[in-house]
Amino acid sequence: MKTELLDGGSRQSIEKAAEILKNGGLVAIPTETVYGLAANAFDKEAVVKIFKAKGRPVDNPLIVHICRFEELYKLVKSVPQKAKELAEKYWPGPLTIILPKADTVPDEVSPGLTTVAVRFPSHPVARAIIDAAGVPLAAPSANSSGLPSPTTAKHVMDDMNGKIEAVVDGGACDVGIESTVVTLAAEVPRLLRPGGITLEQLEAVLGHVEVDPAVLSELKEGERPASPGMKYKHYSPKAEVYIVNGSLPSFKYQLDSDPREGDAALCFDGEENGLSVPCLSFGREDRSSEQAHSLFDDLRKFDEMGARRVFVRAPSADGVGLGVYNRLLRAAAFKILNPPVIYGLTGQSGAGKTTVAAELKKKGYLIIDGDVLARKAVGDPEVLKNLAAEFGEDVISTDGTLVRSLVAKRAFASEQKRQRLNEITHPAITKLTLQEIRNNFEPYMKGAVIDAAAIFDCELPKYCTKMIVVTADEAVRAERIMKRDGIDRETAMHRINAQKNEQYYIERADIVIRNNKNENLADQLSEL
Ligand code: TXA
Ligand code: MG
């Protein structure tokens, strides 16, 4: 069959689409939520064709679309007051209401059920087509079963070309996720699928609305959902999708601690440049409606990119975000990752970082000694080779180890040389540190702490949700250094003066811990 692409902006196309529908054919139509695959709801044979074209499980009921409120009376047994109030407030719009079905609606629309789902879309092209067809239209989302719902005519063509009579192009769908589905056929109104009309908006009309457990959790083996569509895998690109909880630095850790070929990320606007894998952004972090609008398009794009694993920043599940989160849970088949929260711990020499680290360890944090890892990183053969090429073969001693003093001397001769040293060593230090966290972090731990004197010189702060800086008065620091290293005051002061001053650290800190003599460290750390 040749699938015709019709322009939703022309009257002729609307007439043509209506003609096909009246004759028992299938037409994909734009709505404000997603594209629907429509057939005359009263024509059994046409309805059956929808299931075939989509490869849809036969027990998954369809939504019937109308273009006037009064048409609801032809589809349901009776219209309760609450349905009238809902319709008054949110129709036309992204809301589907389930009510006991009238006998005139063929069983094929709601196989095995005594109810029917009805929606009055707001999209002008959808309304014009329903009106011109003169019958209510049964229409599920116009994707192949299991794939993300289509939000452009191109998406529909990708899935349905050759399987249906026509696709009407009405541009990109505004909402981007399917309608909110609420049932009024139960004793208490129940939200079966979250969408563009929020739970709060429903409750403003209905009072208490129960949220079906299938909205946020996986059905157990053999469990029967209130909405049959909930039990199927959905919205999935070919890639494995993972939802990643936590902050942007934890997300970066997730991506970089175990990188693999074909990794990609779905992030919030403005985060793309800081990530090390190909990424798409799906809207601003605090704008659920933007995320809804672009989610399905992005999920399809990952397939075009050939992504194998897609890591997704977890959206907030409030308002329209509940719908976004619900679709992502299904796209991810409920795979949710909780990477550790990482903190950086640093400060001037003698400030007492080690004491603070010990305190954090007692509180249940994994402590990573960054200074030890920095030394280990320069033992890496690749790093050694690059250092010899940059600073001279003689920086490698006869036993193959690095002559650190020689590298230091040459590197500190010029700013440019110092930068080269960092370029060679920092990627190795970062890699080793992330590996160390990955190998040692246990789920029962509260977080991971990277304890490193020179942390602000390297890339590691990008993985840290917060930076903890430990400070102490100069006199106290001098005493500690003298005692620790067995040196005199003059040498200790010389060292202190060679370091960055306290201000430098404080400016970069999220949390400052005072560690003179009698301060209570545990109290100061309770902020974590
Ligand atoms: O926004 C939308 O609702 C789009 C556009 C095209 O209107 N349509 C849509 O249809 O998303 P579909 O078939 O992909 O999703 C319909 C959902 C399914 O989860 C189905 O199980 C549920 O609604 N549903 C339909 N009739 C039902 C009924 N009588 N009882 C319980 N759930 C029902
Ligand atoms: Mg669907």
Side-chain angles (χ1 to χ4, degrees):
M1 179 185 316
K2 180 164 163 21
T3 301
E4 204 172 338
L5 186 61
L6 302 172
D7 167 17
S10 97
R11 189 63 223 170
Q12 235 181 335
S13 297
I14 304 290
E15 297 296 344
K16 177 103 198 237
E19 238 359 84
I20 298 170
L21 290 163
K22 279 193 262 187
N23 290 325
L26 302 185
V27 180
I29 64 171
T31 84
E32 72 279 18
T33 56
V34 301
Y35 276 73
L37 181 53
N40 175 357
F42 290 131
D43 180 340
K44 280 184 210 178
E45 272 123 59
V47 169
V48 168
K49 285 192 216 160
I50 293 179
F51 288 86
K52 290 218 181 87
K54 274 181 65 86
R56 183 177 177 99
V58 287
D59 64 347
N60 195 0
L62 309 178
I63 295 174
V64 179
H65 297 69
I66 57 177
C67 66
R68 269 174 221 93
F69 173 71
E70 298 70 48
E71 290 169 41
L72 179 60
Y73 289 89
K74 291 188 230 154
L75 301 169
V76 303
K77 280 231 152 71
S78 66
V79 180
Q81 182 58 27
K82 287 291 181 196
K84 287 180 196 161
E85 288 170 28
L86 270 186
E88 172 73 25
K89 197 127 196 192
Y90 304 119
W91 274 1
L95 174 67
T96 296
I97 303 173
I98 294 176
L99 287 168
K101 174 171 94 71
D103 298 333
T104 44
V105 178
D107 285 340
E108 283 73 6
V109 170
S110 313
L113 298 175
T114 56
T115 54
V116 64
V118 185
R119 175 157 114 78
F120 179 174
S122 65
H123 198 294
V125 176
R127 290 166 67 175
I129 294 171
I130 303 166
D131 191 35
V135 285
L137 299 180
S141 49
N143 52 291
S144 291
S145 218
L147 293 186
S149 293
T151 56
T152 64
K154 179 190 175 289
H155 295 162
V156 180
M157 271 298 193
D158 289 346
D159 287 14
M160 291 296 153
N161 197 4
K163 296 182 183 160
I164 61 177
E165 278 80 358
V167 177
V168 180
D169 189 347
C173 301
D174 194 24
V175 179
I177 56 173
E178 308 86 341
S179 61
T180 300
V181 178
V182 64
T183 180
L184 298 182
E187 216 158 287
V188 181
R190 180 177 275 248
L191 175 69
L192 301 185
R193 182 175 74 182
I197 298 298
T198 65
L199 180 61
E200 295 71 31
Q201 286 175 304
L202 292 178
E203 290 195 319
V205 173
L206 300 173
H208 178 62
V209 174
E210 282 177 358
V211 177
D212 197 80
V215 168
L216 286 175
S217 49
E218 202 165 8
L219 287 167
K220 300 198 181 61
E221 191 69 29
E223 215 171 341
R224 220 184 108 82
S227 176
M230 296 282 201
K231 71 181 170 214
Y232 298 108
K233 191 175 175 196
H234 256 116
Y235 318 117
S236 302
K238 293 191 192 87
E240 289 284 313
V241 177
Y242 298 86
I243 297 174
V244 184
N245 283 333
S247 63
L248 179 62
S250 290
F251 189 67
K252 274 184 69 58
Y253 165 82
Q254 182 65 51
L255 295 177
D256 295 351
S257 59
D258 174 31
R260 294 198 208 149
E261 179 92 23
D263 281 354
L266 184 59
C267 64
F268 300 125
D269 284 3
E271 296 177 348
E272 303 90 329
N273 289 340
L275 301 176
S276 54
V277 300
C279 50
L280 298 173
S281 79
F282 69 142
R284 279 172 283 182
E285 181 165 10
D286 58 351
R287 296 292 159 89
S288 299
S289 51
E290 291 181 6
Q291 296 160 18
H293 177 76
S294 76
L295 179 66
F296 289 148
D297 187 46
D298 289 334
L299 289 179
R300 282 177 179 257
K301 278 187 185 140
F302 284 116
D303 277 346
E304 289 167 24
M305 287 160 56
R308 292 202 204 139
R309 296 195 303 178
V310 176
F311 295 91
V312 183
R313 291 271 275 132
S316 125
D318 295 330
V320 177
L322 183 61
V324 177
Y325 193 65
N326 165 277
R327 304 309 189 275
L328 274 172
L329 278 174
R330 280 165 178 77
F334 293 89
K335 293 190 294 296
I336 303 172
L337 303 173
N338 290 293
V341 182
I342 302 173
Y343 299 91
L345 176 65
T346 191
Q348 291 169 291
S349 179
K353 269 187 320 117
T354 315
T355 320
V356 174
E359 192 66 35
L360 285 167
K361 190 170 175 182
K362 263 196 277 173
K363 279 178 176 275
Y365 291 86
L366 169 69
I367 309 297
I368 301 292
D369 191 330
D371 298 331
V372 166
L373 295 177
R375 251 169 274 143
K376 197 167 155 194
V378 296
D380 178 272
E382 190 62 26
V383 175
L384 279 176
K385 202 180 85 195
N386 291 330
L387 287 174
E390 181 71 34
F391 297 103
E393 295 298 329
D394 57 339
V395 302
I396 314 281
S397 68
T398 44
D399 64 359
T401 59
L402 192 70
V403 187
R404 303 169 61 85
S405 56
L406 204 54
V407 175
K409 199 173 128 204
R410 291 179 187 161
F412 285 87
S414 79
E415 184 50 32
Q416 190 232 345
K417 284 278 176 195
R418 223 170 59 99
Q419 263 181 26
R420 279 296 298 145
L421 176 66
N422 290 344
E423 280 164 21
I424 295 168
T425 55
H426 285 175
I429 296 172
T430 301
K431 194 170 154 196
L432 214 57
T433 307
L434 299 185
Q435 246 169 32
E436 190 78 5
I437 296 174
R438 203 174 126 74
N439 293 341
N440 296 292
F441 189 80
E442 302 286 350
Y444 66 82
M445 293 173 172
K446 283 194 188 146
V449 177
I450 304 171
D451 170 0
I455 198 162
F456 290 126
D457 291 342
C458 70
E459 302 285 296
L460 289 169
K462 289 187 187 158
Y463 301 95
C464 298
T465 297
K466 283 193 172 152
M467 297 300 298
I468 307 166
V469 161
V470 186
T471 66
D473 296 342
E474 189 172 280
V476 176
R477 281 184 278 130
E479 288 296 334
R480 286 183 185 151
I481 296 173
M482 286 158 61
K483 205 161 145 199
R484 183 187 71 197
D485 298 345
I487 54 177
D488 61 19
R489 185 168 300 274
E490 200 186 335
T491 321
M493 284 315 293
H494 191 72
R495 266 199 218 167
I496 285 176
N497 291 328
Q499 285 185 342
K500 301 232 168 54
N501 63 22
E502 189 176 273
Q503 195 54 27
Y504 169 90
Y505 286 92
I506 290 177
E507 275 165 11
R508 289 162 179 75
D510 297 297
I511 300 169
V512 176
I513 307 285
R514 296 288 298 159
N515 183 20
N516 282 323
K517 291 213 171 83
N518 300 316
E519 278 106 352
N520 185 333
L521 289 180
D523 274 1
Q524 294 186 71
L525 290 168
S526 63
E527 219 190 293
L528 291 188

